[in-house]
């Protein structure tokens, strides 16, 4: 890598001061978010506290609201929040917790018990993930072994969606490359490049969907054979993409390009198909854990299927039972996502001036509704011209509705900030919300859904006008 990215000194100095306060703890509770970034952030911190001989327990939560904060308070422990907390600083303070916050979400205000890249001119949506911030804290305390997990977190938060990891993520990447744990390459980025038989990688492609191939296993097999690529290895098992040699890879990529162009798939979707891929060299070839994107999906599966502790075990080295259970969760997760996308393509979305939305009621689980909403662009269910809001029932509280919002880079460059929109509008209707410019969420009273859509639509008008 030819990069010479540096992290701003002010951020590193503040991380150092913050980290030293952690070193003095005897026992801590790590509280983190239930997605890939949150789980990897928690694993980096657990590894750090064990390294420092500090007793550590963990709790993974789908969100941090007043109720969860009160539950945490009842445990009476020093709490280290990761990948969450900055947006809930006031609730945390009101409840008088003994807290530390390591986050990358839009913060409310400065606090000497919090580290957050936004105060130094960084964008937590693209420059560094929650796991990346946890890694910087660990690094400042002398522990750098988990750099690869910080990359899994960043990829899990889709911070490579413009083709590669940049800024602070790039510095972490360079640490991992120097350690010999990660290799960087420009290559095909379809999901499953390590673990899936080639024809199934193509048949399950959703970002972008490939006309004539997605959903058509037999067609994929014919396509591979038409390129003179033997789909089987010498041992007769099916090849994965990573089994192809350089010429076969080139042939396959250009044939895919041609096909996407022939079917008028928009340029921005085609471009995303090739970019940097990050290979974790300590993991076995063809294992989901060898590719950061597959690893992240595995973690999302554990977290969003309510078994985050299994994800944590895998991050911390379990390649036995935990690993096996994680792969089972991945199967059911993929199946849930497939059904979610199918539901959405059959039902379609509603449209307002500045947004698309759909109400899934109880048909899509609130824990995966955000992922399904985000996939709607790649699956070409919606064009990229407006953000999408998705509503699902909160299974724990029938009075409440979960909202997930997703956008894309084009919209962010036009001034859209979903995190601000979710926070402001949900607050005005008696709910709670927040997140990044590109991906955000909220919980609101069920009775307010239509007002919510109305108000977000109006607020997006203002964001687009730069007001
Ligand atoms: O809380 P956290 O920052 O980890 O969550 C960000 C979420 O937004 C992740 O679940 C990530 O997959 C999602 N995301 C997305 N599309 C993007 C960027 C992030 O769906 N372009
Ligand atoms: O749940 P979902 O994947 O849609 O969340 C997207 C982003 O919005 C995450 O970064 C999450 O932390 C944030 N969010 C939030 N408050 C909520 C729900 C989600 O800050 N009530
Ligand atoms: Zn995150």
């Amino acid at each position: 890598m030819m990069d010479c990215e540096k992290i701003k000194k002010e951020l590193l100095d503040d991380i150092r001061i913050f980290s030293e306060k952690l070193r003095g703890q005897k026992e801590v509770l790590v509280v983190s978010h239930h997605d890939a970034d949150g789980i990897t952030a928690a694993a980096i911190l657990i590894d750090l506290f064990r390294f420092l001989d500090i007793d550590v327990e963990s709790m993974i939560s789908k969100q941090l609201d007043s109720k969860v904060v009160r539950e945490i308070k009842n445990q009476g422990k020093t709490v280290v929040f990761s990948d969450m907390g900055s947006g809930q600083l006031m609730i945390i303070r009101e409840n008088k917790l003994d807290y530390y916050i390591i986050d990358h979400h839009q913060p409310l205000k400065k606090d000497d018990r919090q580290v957050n890249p936004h105060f130094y001119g960084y964008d937590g949506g693209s420059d560094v993930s929650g796991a990346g911030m946890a890694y910087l804290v660990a690094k400042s305390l002398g522990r750098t072994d988990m750099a690869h997990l910080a990359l899994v977190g960043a990829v899990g938060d889709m911070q490579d969606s413009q083709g590669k990891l940049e800024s602070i993520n790039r510095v972490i990447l360079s640490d991992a490359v120097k350690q010999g744990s990660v290799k960087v390459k420009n290559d095909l980025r379809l999901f499953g490049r390590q673990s899936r038989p080639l024809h199934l990688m193509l048949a399950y492609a959703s970002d972008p969907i490939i006309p004539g191939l997605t959903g058509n296993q037999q067609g994929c097999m014919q396509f591979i054979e038409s390129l003179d690529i033997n789909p089987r290895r010498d041992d007769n098992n099916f090849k994965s993409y990573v089994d192809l040699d350089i010429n076969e890879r080139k042939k396959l990529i250009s044939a895919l390009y041609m096909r996407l162009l022939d079917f008028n798939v928009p340029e921005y979707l085609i471009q995303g198909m090739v970019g940097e891929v990050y290979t974790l060299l300590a993991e076995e070839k063809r294992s989901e854990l060898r590719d950061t994107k597959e690893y992240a999906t595995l973690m999302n599966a554990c977290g969003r299927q309510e078994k985050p502790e299994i994800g944590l075990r895998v991050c911390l080295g379990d390649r036995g039972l935990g690993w096996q259970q994680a792969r089972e969760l991945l199967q059911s997760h993929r199946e849930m996502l497939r059904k979610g996308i199918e539901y959405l393509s059959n039902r379609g979305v509603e449209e307002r001036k500045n947004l698309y939305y759909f109400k899934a009621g109880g048909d899509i689980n609130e824990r995966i509704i955000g992922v399904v909403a985000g996939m709607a662009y790649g699956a070409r269910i919606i064009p990229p011209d407006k953000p999408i809001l998705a509503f699902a029932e909160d299974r724990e509280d029938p009075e409440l509705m979960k909202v997930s919002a997703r956008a894309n880079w084009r919209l962010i460059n036009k001034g859209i900030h979903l995190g601000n929109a979710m926070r402001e509008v949900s607050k005005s209707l008696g709910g709670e919300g927040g997140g990044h410019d590109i991906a955000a969420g909220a919980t609101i009273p069920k009775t307010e859904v239509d007002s919510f859509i109305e108000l977000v639509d109006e607020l997006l008008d203002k964001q687009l006008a730069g007001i």
Side-chain angles (χ1 to χ4, degrees), residues 95-113:
N95 282 277
K96 300 201 168 23
L97 260 69
D98 182 21
Y99 66 89
Y100 293 91
I101 299 171
I102 302 168
D103 197 1
H104 73 134
H105 288 90
Q106 195 73 32
L108 299 175
K109 59 192 285 190
K110 269 204 130 174
D111 184 294
D112 59 8
R113 285 171 167 250

Side-chain angles (χ1 to χ4, degrees), residues 33-141:
H33 193 213
H34 74 158
D35 67 2
D37 184 31
I39 294 175
T40 48
I44 291 169
L45 293 175
I46 293 170
D47 170 76
L48 169 70
F49 290 125
R50 288 181 182 166
F51 168 75
L52 295 172
D53 262 335
I54 295 170
D55 274 350
V56 55
E57 282 186 38
S58 62
M59 177 180 149
I60 304 285
S61 178
K62 70 174 172 169
Q63 75 202 36
L64 196 57
D65 52 25
S66 327
K67 193 171 138 222
V68 179
V69 171
R70 281 196 297 274
E71 279 166 25
I72 296 168
K73 163 82 181 167
N74 289 339
Q75 300 204 22
K77 290 201 171 141
T78 299
V79 187
V80 180
F81 292 100
S82 59
D83 193 34
M84 51 177 25
S86 284
Q88 297 79 17
L89 181 66
M90 293 316 170
I91 312 174
I92 294 170
R93 278 191 187 170
E94 277 157 24
N95 282 277
K96 300 201 168 23
L97 260 69
D98 182 21
Y99 66 89
Y100 293 91
I101 299 171
I102 302 168
D103 197 1
H104 73 134
H105 288 90
Q106 195 73 32
L108 299 175
K109 59 192 285 190
K110 269 204 130 174
D111 184 294
D112 59 8
R113 285 171 167 250
Q114 162 182 257
V115 278
N116 188 306
H118 287 271
F119 297 118
Y120 310 86
Y122 290 110
D123 177 0
S126 52
D127 294 333
V128 64
S129 67
M133 290 300 288
Y135 170 76
L136 294 183
V137 168
K139 185 176 175 181
S140 134
L141 291 167

Side-chain angles (χ1 to χ4, degrees), residues 298-361:
L298 191 77
M299 290 304 120
N300 266 321
C302 295
R304 295 184 189 265
Q305 307 281 326
E306 301 177 53
K307 294 275 188 301
E309 65 286 355
I310 293 176
L312 278 178
R313 282 170 55 183
V314 171
C315 286
L316 292 166
D318 183 333
R319 296 293 176 272
L321 186 61
W323 165 224
Q324 190 188 320
Q325 287 172 329
R327 295 177 78 187
E328 282 160 20
L329 290 167
L330 180 62
Q331 296 288 342
S332 41
H333 183 61
R334 300 290 303 170
E335 184 57 19
M336 271 172 87
L337 292 183
R338 195 191 59 72
K339 283 194 184 138
I341 278 291
E342 196 176 274
Y343 170 90
L344 192 55
S345 20
N346 290 340
R347 279 225 0 205
V349 297
E350 317 276 334
E351 187 174 0
R352 288 291 164 97
K353 180 168 173 238
N354 297 311
L355 55 85
Y356 297 102
Y357 70 90
F358 66 97
K359 298 178 185 172

Side-chain angles (χ1 to χ4, degrees), residues 218-401:
Q218 212 184 345
C220 290
M221 197 49 106
Q222 283 162 2
F223 175 70
I224 294 165
E225 282 167 348
S226 75
L227 297 172
D228 248 345
I229 296 174
N230 182 351
R232 289 181 188 272
R233 303 197 306 253
D234 291 344
D235 63 6
N236 212 33
N237 282 316
F238 284 119
K239 279 182 186 164
S240 289
Y241 177 76
V242 292
D243 290 311
L244 302 185
D245 66 29
I246 180 90
N247 287 326
E248 290 172 325
R249 289 185 193 202
K250 278 188 187 156
K251 252 192 310 195
L252 182 77
I253 293 173
S254 48
L256 287 173
Y257 258 117
M258 293 311 296
R259 179 173 284 256
L260 292 169
L261 287 174
D262 284 350
F263 282 87
N264 293 321
V265 173
E267 187 60 25
Y268 76 98
L269 285 179
I270 302 180
Q271 270 170 6
M273 200 177 66
V274 171
E276 280 190 355
V277 292
Y278 310 105
T279 305
L280 304 196
L281 297 172
E283 306 296 342
E284 266 178 45
K285 193 169 176 185
R286 298 188 205 99
S287 144
E288 284 87 350
L289 300 176
R290 199 165 159 97
D291 176 74
T292 44
K293 194 163 162 184
E294 291 195 61
Y295 198 140
T297 304
L298 191 77
M299 290 304 120
N300 266 321
C302 295
R304 295 184 189 265
Q305 307 281 326
E306 301 177 53
K307 294 275 188 301
E309 65 286 355
I310 293 176
L312 278 178
R313 282 170 55 183
V314 171
C315 286
L316 292 166
D318 183 333
R319 296 293 176 272
L321 186 61
W323 165 224
Q324 190 188 320
Q325 287 172 329
R327 295 177 78 187
E328 282 160 20
L329 290 167
L330 180 62
Q331 296 288 342
S332 41
H333 183 61
R334 300 290 303 170
E335 184 57 19
M336 271 172 87
L337 292 183
R338 195 191 59 72
K339 283 194 184 138
I341 278 291
E342 196 176 274
Y343 170 90
L344 192 55
S345 20
N346 290 340
R347 279 225 0 205
V349 297
E350 317 276 334
E351 187 174 0
R352 288 291 164 97
K353 180 168 173 238
N354 297 311
L355 55 85
Y356 297 102
Y357 70 90
F358 66 97
K359 298 178 185 172
D363 292 334
I364 300 183
N365 186 310
E366 54 168 307
R367 287 168 179 268
I368 63 146
I369 186 104
V371 185
V372 174
M375 288 167 80
Y377 293 114
R380 296 181 73 190
I381 294 170
I382 48 168
D385 59 337
K386 301 174 190 182
I388 179 162
L389 301 187
F391 297 86
E393 277 165 14
D394 186 320
R395 282 181 309 158
E396 281 158 30
D397 191 335
E399 308 280 299
L400 297 179
M401 190 68 93

